[in-house]
Amino acid sequence: MHKYYNKNVPLWEALSKVHWTSQFYNIPRFLKNPNSLPEIDRVLIGDIQGKKVLHLQCHLGLESISMSKLGANVTAIDFSKKAIAYANKINN
């Protein structure tokens, strides 16, 4: 298991930096309107006001922050420390 983890983490650390400035994630747009959940996802998850959500592999945290804005108590985790640092930057 460790060999897969040890090969995967450096990739996601590098991708976090790339994604931080990418047009796909478009952080400046997200900061203006913190909702990255597509309509179909919002319909499928329904009302999450007051519910506890564990978001595994949250990456930059956009969906986690979006769910938090919908009233959920979100715990977001990722094995990339850089991704979590970026997520915290966005969330502050």
Side-chain angles (χ1 to χ4, degrees), residues 19-31 62:
H19 292 165
W20 177 252
T21 58
S22 77
Q23 286 300 310
F24 179 80
Y25 285 88
N26 199 337
I27 302 302
R29 181 184 65 211
F30 181 79
L31 291 172
L62 303 185

Side-chain angles (χ1 to χ4, degrees), residues 1-43:
M1 182 65 160
H2 290 283
K3 81 176 179 181
Y4 300 113
Y5 178 85
N6 292 336
K7 287 185 182 250
N8 224 336
V9 171
L11 171 66
W12 283 105
E13 296 284 20
L15 286 174
S16 296
K17 186 176 181 181
V18 170
H19 292 165
W20 177 252
T21 58
S22 77
Q23 286 300 310
F24 179 80
Y25 285 88
N26 199 337
I27 302 302
R29 181 184 65 211
F30 181 79
L31 291 172
K32 290 178 187 170
N33 179 23
N35 181 5
S36 66
L37 297 173
E39 180 65 25
I40 190 159
D41 289 356
R42 288 191 302 268
V43 169

